Amino acid sequence: MLGMGLVAIDSTIVATAVPQIVGDLGGFALFSWLFSGYLLAVTVTLPVYGKLSDTFGRKPVLVGGVILFLAGSLLCAAAWNMAALIAFRVVQGLGGGALQGTVQTIAADLYPLRERPRIQAKLSTVWATSAVAGPAVGGLLAAYADWRWIFLINLPIGGVALWLVVRHLHEPARPRPATRPRIDWAGALAVFATGTLLLTALVQGGVAWPWLSVPSLGLLGAAAVLACLTVVIERRAAEPIIPGWVWRRRTIASVNLALGAMGLLMVAPTVFVPTYAQSVLGLGPVAAGFVLSVMTLSWPLSAALADRVYNRIGFRRTAITGMTGALLALGAFPLIPYPGAAWQPALLMLLLGGALGLFQLPLIVGVQSTVGWSERGTTTASVLFCRQVGQSVGAALLGAVANSALASRLADAPVAGLPDDLDGVSRALADPDAPTAVVTDHLRRAVDTATDHVFTGAAMAAVLALLVLVFVTPRRFPVLAEHEDSTPAPRD
């Protein structure tokens, strides 16, 4: 849980200190890469670490991930300019990828099926606590100490996590393989390069450059070529980083697709609700954060109770129930009247968190239970990878939807020269020398409309997840008996 906490608190604690970091190091045009670079490194390394943990064991990968994350944190604290800080954030992300996937895999290794919901719920509380504590701790350190402490604070936490893992995590002895394990370095490099180009195009498209520009089209085209090359390399590799069975087995493939759709719809609450709360409802940053944070409170509670549901009706039906609830919450958001009250989106976020907890946990626990130890790391990493890619795709698609709706709404603005993107409108509304009341009301209505469009798009992603669950996911997961540790026959 401490190791997972390093990853969970990272993005929220850094976000609050951006003004101080930019004020000290400069590089305002590059600061978005503090998050993008870290996200890229975490996402593209997930499949690699999953395969390594299946080959060499979880403990070496977890220990290496903690050490790499702490080294990156120390380097970030010593950064002398924005470019150096971004490079060291990538180093942090390389460690974060090992932590995020391996911790989830170890939870499935150590706890039998009946106990996994309890431990997964505890891991969910780590994310919930980090969502609340991260901004508060980051704000205090940035205001009363120095922004470098937001990275140095990782050292004692990570040090304790490292000591506990080294001292107390004992993996069961496994028979030595007949042949020396072969690492698919070519496949790892191909996966890394493909993911980097694709995610860079998705994260920076429409932000750093237009979608239909040479950089965007060039990155997407190069990613497509590399993806084809990766498939060729992986089909020929003796021990591929992303084995073909990940997509040939119906259970794993359907869970990957369903959680990818969940990653897409998650962009609506996590990215747009705080903006909506501040720009439309007129709340301060703390109150706006609370509107979203209620989702992180109901999520682990729902996850903790999920086993009582899926033990009765099964993994698939429980996930369908959860995603149906999420669809209702997302579809209800555009029905909130303008300007609305803070309790209305907060209530929907509370319901959404509960629904997604009921959706995600049964799928992760279920899919981990269909594979043996030697395939569990790869399977878990593939699920998390698809969810991360879904979030990147969602950020690109829903960001484009928001800006398109905003531009359309501002076409008949009462005055000329108003900003035509969401960030610009948010800054204009936060400016103490804001425009007239008529212009302010028009801007707020434009943000309200754009957010409604985003939640409509997120509801469509929920429909996609439901279609996958209904028509692709098998009715019964081929769960292995607790004593089995071999690859299951392809019964799904």
Side-chain angles (χ1 to χ4, degrees):
M1 290 174 70
L2 284 174
M4 181 67 82
L6 291 173
V7 180
I9 202 170
D10 181 82
S11 59
T12 55
I13 197 172
V14 173
T16 56
V18 165
Q20 289 78 11
I21 294 173
V22 172
D24 187 16
L25 301 181
F28 178 79
L30 300 174
F31 87 88
S32 64
W33 276 101
L34 290 177
F35 308 98
S36 301
Y38 177 84
L39 175 65
L40 287 171
V42 169
T43 304
V44 300
T45 54
L46 277 169
V48 178
Y49 286 127
K51 183 61 180 179
L52 290 177
S53 74
D54 283 343
T55 304
F56 300 104
R58 324 297 187 210
K59 188 172 182 176
V61 174
L62 184 59
V63 169
V66 173
I67 292 174
L68 197 55
F69 189 92
L70 295 182
S73 299
L74 187 60
L75 290 170
C76 286
W80 54 90
N81 59 31
M82 185 62 75
L85 182 58
I86 291 170
F88 298 147
R89 285 281 288 165
V90 171
V91 176
Q92 260 193 319
L94 295 176
L99 292 171
Q100 191 161 323
T102 310
V103 169
Q104 295 279 6
T105 306
I106 290 175
D109 289 342
L110 296 181
Y111 295 88
L113 179 59
R114 65 182 180 277
E115 294 184 25
R116 284 178 201 162
R118 177 173 59 86
I119 196 64
Q120 290 285 359
K122 288 185 177 181
L123 291 177
S124 295
T125 63
V126 173
W127 291 91
T129 303
S130 300
V132 177
V137 174
L140 289 173
L141 290 176
Y144 298 105
D146 187 272
W147 63 265
R148 298 178 191 273
W149 280 99
I150 67 175
F151 298 107
L152 292 175
I153 199 175
N154 291 331
L155 300 182
I157 300 173
V160 174
L162 187 62
W163 179 79
L164 289 171
V165 168
V166 171
R167 184 177 176 84
H168 295 290
L169 177 60
H170 304 291
E171 294 187 89
R174 306 270 169 186
R176 287 182 174 272
T179 59
R180 185 178 179 181
R182 299 174 61 183
I183 302 176
D184 178 21
W185 293 115
L189 181 61
V191 170
F192 191 91
T194 303
T196 299
L197 291 179
L198 174 62
L199 292 176
T200 300
L202 293 174
V203 170
Q204 295 298 310
V207 179
W209 48 70
W211 280 109
L212 297 178
S213 64
V214 173
S216 280
L217 297 178
L219 286 171
L220 291 173
V225 172
L226 279 177
C228 296
L229 179 62
T230 301
V231 172
V232 174
I233 292 173
E234 294 297 82
R235 293 185 67 177
R236 295 179 177 180
E239 295 289 340
I241 292 294
I242 303 181
W245 54 258
V246 168
W247 292 105
R248 287 195 298 267
R249 293 183 194 169
R250 187 174 162 194
T251 304
I252 301 174
S254 64
V255 170
N256 285 345
L257 292 173
L259 286 178
M262 190 200 80
L264 196 157
L265 70 85
M266 279 296 297
V267 173
T270 56
V271 175
F272 291 93
V273 163
T275 300
Y276 169 87
Q278 293 184 67
S279 299
V280 178
L281 303 181
L283 301 179
V286 175
F290 175 77
V291 171
L292 176 61
S293 67
V294 294
M295 182 179 75
T296 64
L297 300 178
S298 60
W299 192 314
L301 180 61
S302 172
L305 300 175
D307 64 317
R308 302 186 182 185
V309 182
Y310 69 64
N311 283 331
R312 290 178 177 273
I313 65 176
F315 295 120
R316 173 175 170 269
R317 290 180 179 176
T318 304
I320 289 174
T321 302
M323 187 50 70
T324 301
L327 175 60
L328 294 176
L330 293 167
F333 195 96
L335 302 180
I336 296 176
Y338 176 85
W343 67 266
Q344 294 169 322
L347 176 61
L348 291 180
M349 293 303 100
L350 186 71
L351 297 175
L352 182 62
L356 291 177
L358 203 60
F359 165 79
Q360 178 180 260
L361 186 131
L363 293 182
I364 292 180
V365 171
V367 78
Q368 287 179 330
S369 303
T370 66
V371 294
W373 186 95
S374 62
E375 295 179 342
R376 192 170 291 137
T378 299
T379 300
T380 304
S382 74
V383 169
L384 299 179
F385 177 77
C386 289
R387 188 181 66 184
Q388 293 281 84
V389 171
Q391 286 182 318
S392 298
V393 172
L397 290 179
L398 297 183
V401 168
N403 285 328
S404 175
L406 200 65
S408 176
R409 190 73 173 78
L410 293 176
D412 58 346
V415 296
L418 294 178
D420 58 357
D421 64 87
L422 199 60
D423 290 337
V425 171
S426 299
R427 287 194 297 268
L429 289 172
D431 189 348
D433 300 324
T436 63
V438 173
V439 173
T440 297
D441 182 71
H442 193 86
L443 290 176
R444 285 181 172 170
R445 288 181 181 274
V447 174
D448 180 67
T449 300
T451 309
D452 288 347
H453 281 67
V454 165
F455 271 83
T456 301
M460 295 174 64
V463 171
L464 176 60
L466 282 173
L467 291 175
V468 170
L469 291 173
V470 172
F471 295 107
V472 182
T473 307
R475 294 181 181 274
R476 294 181 63 85
F477 281 35
V479 175
L480 294 179
E482 294 294 347
H483 65 277
E484 292 184 80
D485 194 33
S486 59
T487 303
R491 292 171 286 169
D492 50 341

